[in-house]
Amino acid sequence: MPETGSPWPVPHPLAGAAWVGRRVALLGGSFNPAHDGHRTISLLALKSLGVDQVWWLVTPQNPLKAARDIAPLAARLTVARRVAMDPRIRVTALEATLGTRYAVETLAALRRRFPRTRFVWLIGADNLAQLPRWRRWTKLMATVAIAVFNRAPYAISALHGQAALRYRRDRVSVRRARSITKRSPPAWVFLPCRPHPASATAIRRAAGTGWAGASSVSFQSVSLRRISS
């Protein structure tokens, strides 16, 4: 059952024989705001990795970003739910519910809660490059498979960075990407997809400080069309 007493219920527990081996992709981030690039990555994960669902983990506060630059969680969730537009994409505030802050902590909590589920963590090439800055990042690599999506202009530097070089023998070829959730970590795949032009930074700059206000949702739709065209 969903957790009670929380304004942002967790996804329904994947319990019972019917859910054994189900595959879920996790996309964490500030979503400040969510945009069509997040949705595109999620749809690619559903297709390329063969996962059953993608959970957006809208973080209360990204440890690598200043709090003053992040809109309120409720505003970010509202926009994210309007952007997702697919029943297979679940927008959640699981980190707020679970009381976790770092990816390695969130994953540990999810594995305890959903022991029958196979998870894969989704990141962009920029995050692969800065992965060594994440809390206990080698523990994360040893715990969950990771799918990396191309994001200009970070791909080349990311693929020659510390994380990629350290785990170069654990890289899975693109043609075997659908097997990533079945492999024992560490395992990662780089998906050389066409980079999406949408940018949360660009949206915020265009909208100004009021993007998270009452009129921000309509502006979000306009911004997506402009940036994605």
Side-chain angles (χ1 to χ4, degrees):
M1 295 178 62
E3 189 167 319
T4 58
S6 169
W8 314 114
V10 299
H12 195 283
L14 309 182
W19 284 98
V20 173
R22 285 295 179 100
R23 296 160 294 179
V24 173
L26 303 172
L27 181 61
S30 302
F31 294 90
N32 188 48
H35 52 70
D36 197 51
H38 296 121
R39 184 174 185 271
T40 297
I41 285 177
S42 301
L43 295 177
L44 285 172
L46 288 162
K47 179 180 179 180
S48 302
L49 305 178
V51 296
D52 301 297
Q53 290 185 350
V54 178
W55 294 355
W56 288 5
L57 308 179
V58 184
T59 180
Q61 173 57 49
N62 187 322
L64 298 179
K65 296 182 179 180
R68 66 179 181 275
D69 299 329
I70 307 296
L73 177 61
R76 289 182 282 128
L77 286 166
T78 297
V79 173
R81 288 176 178 133
R82 289 176 179 263
V83 171
M85 297 186 297
D86 193 299
R88 298 169 297 174
I89 302 174
R90 304 289 297 275
V91 178
T92 80
L94 278 170
E95 291 188 321
T97 300
L98 297 170
T100 58
R101 184 181 181 191
Y102 299 98
V104 68
E105 298 172 345
T106 300
L107 183 63
L110 288 176
R111 285 169 60 87
R112 289 192 297 268
R113 188 173 296 250
F114 306 113
R116 297 173 179 265
T117 306
R118 295 178 179 176
F119 290 110
V120 56
W121 199 277
L122 309 182
I123 62 174
D126 54 327
N127 278 319
L128 176 63
Q130 68 173 357
L131 195 60
R133 295 175 58 194
W134 290 24
R135 174 72 62 89
R136 301 179 66 194
W137 71 282
T138 56
K139 174 66 174 179
L140 181 69
M141 289 291 297
T143 306
V144 67
I146 292 181
V148 183
F149 291 85
N150 185 26
R151 185 179 182 186
Y154 306 100
I156 295 178
S157 59
L159 291 175
H160 291 83
Q162 180 182 351
L165 293 178
R166 177 166 180 163
Y167 293 97
R168 59 186 179 277
R169 295 181 180 178
D170 303 301
R171 182 176 175 181
V172 178
S173 65
V174 174
R175 63 187 179 86
R176 295 182 177 177
R178 295 179 70 90
S179 71
I180 193 76
T181 57
K182 299 178 181 179
R183 295 173 178 268
S184 298
W188 65 284
V189 60
F190 182 84
L191 299 172
C193 56
R194 181 179 180 182
H196 196 281
S199 162
T201 301
I203 291 174
R204 292 197 304 273
R205 287 175 179 170
T209 57
W211 81 261
S215 62
S216 64
V217 173
S218 60
F219 182 86
Q220 170 72 4
S221 299
V222 174
S223 298
L224 288 177
R225 290 197 296 272
R226 289 177 179 173
I227 294 174
S228 300
S229 61

